[in-house]
Amino acid sequence: QDQLQQKIICPGPVTCLTASPNGLYILAGVAESIYLWEVSNGNLLAILNRHYQDLTCLCFTDDSSHFLSGAKDCLALVWNLYNVLQAEPSQIPDPRHVWSRHSLPITDLCCGFGGPLARAATASLDQTAKLWEISSGELLLSVLFDVGIMAVTLDLSEYHMFCGGMDGSIFQVDLCAWPVQRDRTFQTERENGKVFKGHRNQVTCLSVSTDGSLLLSGSHDETVRLWDIQSKQCLKTMNHKGPVTNAFIVLAPANMFNPDGKPSVPLPKFSRHLHGTESSDEPGAEGVTLRLGLHQQEPGQSYLEKAERMYSQMYSTREKNLVGDQEHLTIQVSELEEEVSNLRKINKDLFDFSTRIITKPAK
């Protein structure tokens, strides 16, 4: 029998929850506010109050640089994580984009691959699912259905968008269909080969396998179904004792089936107050230490300390050269040349990395 490892009390009922793909941050929707915690120490880093009604969904981009939020106020917001972390505690940072093209509450969000160049899908009770471009904020596609849409997801190739309806139907939308239209109507009677039928109540969650062959769906009819996407046949049905609110396909961790497996680092309790507002007895608790090239540094010595030592050595060699210490000068010059070579390599790597990011074609 599973045992509760830890109970973390949040400031209020949590309506949606997500973790960044890099494992560093946790987002939670509490009423109309977004709470951002740092996983390693439990610090509450930000409380974002830009929605006017309760949050319904949250999701991160695959590179953890941005996150999206949807709420009952019909708005979907795109946030830059860096701007949120750099903002003063007394200020609420502005979202990068405000998407207000839905006319009823947002029910689900899904983000594709590509970091800030990715595409995102939104679902709403207004019977539409929309596809957006995160970098520009432009609306790429709007699909109108016969029923309200409760769940949306994309396959890894982003060739199809799957939408779960309130009547239990799951619709498959071809994103590469011709002719290209920004506004499209999904007519169920004409596209029977693109509808998954089997659920008896609203579909609440969808997830596609990594190879794009299987679709997992959860519903308020108390079942989870596994579908073959090509044939639209239900391969397996798993019954539950209540409405299913969330289900997704994930690669199993290596130690998942080890009965003695435990997390190597204990998860701290999440703070209920913003980081920096509560008193702390630890000296330097507000500071952040950042070290570059740690594997090349001497133990306990920061990069600035090493640079200062090298500068003092360079200055001392100039004095010693005046008294004829040519051998010592040669050794110090070789050290400085090696340091310059390392710095040039670091600069080149940073330039190449930036060039690949900037010139990467949008999907």
Side-chain angles (χ1 to χ4, degrees):
Q1 184 178 0
D2 294 337
Q3 294 182 356
L4 182 65
Q5 292 186 352
Q6 188 171 348
K7 184 178 181 180
I8 299 175
I9 305 299
C10 292
V14 176
T15 57
C16 49
L17 184 71
T18 189
S20 62
N22 59 17
L24 299 180
Y25 303 100
I26 290 286
L27 281 174
V30 179
E32 70 276 2
S33 301
I34 305 172
Y35 285 72
L36 173 64
W37 283 281
E38 188 174 7
V39 174
S40 60
N41 51 30
N43 287 335
L44 179 58
L45 303 180
I47 302 176
L48 307 175
N49 297 298
R50 288 301 299 267
H51 283 285
Y52 305 103
Q53 294 185 36
D54 291 355
L55 269 292
T56 56
C57 44
L58 291 164
C59 71
F60 271 96
T61 57
D62 61 323
D63 66 343
S64 304
S65 66
H66 293 71
F67 61 91
L68 287 70
S69 61
K72 293 181 178 179
D73 58 6
C74 314
L75 297 179
L77 306 182
V78 180
W79 303 86
N80 185 312
L81 181 60
Y82 176 80
N83 291 341
V84 172
L85 295 176
Q86 291 296 316
E88 295 294 333
S90 59
Q91 297 179 347
I92 301 177
D94 293 326
R96 180 173 178 178
H97 301 299
V98 178
W99 294 335
S100 57
R101 301 289 291 272
H102 285 289
S103 57
L104 287 176
I106 306 291
T107 54
D108 197 15
L109 289 168
C110 175
C111 189
F113 287 89
L117 301 178
R119 298 184 292 180
T122 57
S124 172
L125 293 178
D126 63 5
Q127 301 185 1
T128 67
K130 300 183 187 293
L131 191 68
W132 311 80
E133 186 178 54
I134 292 180
S135 58
S136 64
E138 292 293 327
L139 175 63
L140 303 178
L141 175 67
S142 179
V143 184
L144 177 64
F145 298 89
D146 297 330
V147 296
I149 303 301
M150 302 300 298
V152 65
T153 191
L154 301 167
D155 61 357
L156 265 69
S157 63
E158 298 184 20
Y159 193 82
H160 300 293
M161 179 171 64
F162 299 93
C163 305
M166 293 192 67
D167 63 349
S169 300
I170 302 172
F171 310 101
Q172 176 182 310
V173 179
D174 294 335
L175 300 181
C176 299
W178 188 264
V180 178
Q181 296 175 322
R182 178 166 294 185
D183 296 297
R184 194 188 309 176
T185 300
F186 190 96
Q187 298 178 345
T188 306
E189 64 277 2
R190 294 184 181 180
E191 304 189 62
N192 289 327
K194 298 178 181 178
V195 180
F196 301 78
K197 296 182 179 180
H199 284 297
R200 301 181 305 276
N201 205 333
Q202 66 183 38
V203 177
T204 56
C205 49
L206 295 169
S207 179
V208 180
S209 62
T210 53
D211 62 356
S213 64
L214 300 175
L215 175 68
L216 186 74
S217 62
S219 170
H220 275 189
D221 64 5
E222 304 183 359
T223 65
V224 171
R225 292 177 179 263
L226 189 65
W227 307 83
D228 177 71
I229 293 178
Q230 186 68 28
S231 64
K232 307 295 184 294
Q233 296 298 312
C234 180
L235 303 178
K236 188 175 182 179
T237 301
M238 293 155 277
N239 295 306
H240 291 264
K241 297 181 179 179
V244 178
T245 58
N246 203 358
F248 56 92
I249 299 174
V250 64
L251 296 176
N255 62 344
M256 180 176 179
F257 301 105
N258 182 9
D260 299 326
K262 293 183 179 180
S264 57
V265 179
L267 185 66
K269 290 188 176 181
F270 289 171
S271 173
R272 301 180 67 178
H273 304 281
L274 278 174
H275 179 54
T277 58
E278 64 268 34
S279 60
S280 177
D281 297 331
E282 298 182 14
E286 302 296 328
V288 176
T289 302
L290 176 64
R291 295 194 175 192
L292 301 177
L294 188 60
H295 61 284
Q296 298 178 350
Q297 297 179 15
E298 299 176 4
Q301 188 179 38
S302 69
Y303 191 85
L304 293 178
E305 291 172 344
K306 183 177 180 180
E308 185 177 357
R309 180 179 66 83
M310 296 297 292
Y311 178 80
S312 63
Q313 289 179 349
M314 181 180 67
Y315 187 76
S316 64
T317 55
R318 204 195 283 168
E319 293 181 346
K320 291 182 179 180
N321 187 43
L322 296 176
V323 295
D325 193 356
Q326 187 67 34
E327 182 179 357
H328 187 76
L329 175 62
T330 303
I331 295 175
Q332 297 302 324
V333 169
S334 64
E335 288 187 8
L336 290 173
E337 288 176 346
E338 182 181 358
E339 180 68 15
V340 170
S341 177
N342 290 335
L343 290 175
R344 284 178 176 172
K345 184 179 183 302
I346 293 173
N347 184 62
K348 183 178 182 302
D349 292 342
L350 288 173
F351 177 80
D352 292 341
F353 176 79
S354 303
T355 303
R356 288 196 302 269
I357 293 298
I358 294 174
T359 59
K360 183 177 180 181
K363 291 185 177 181

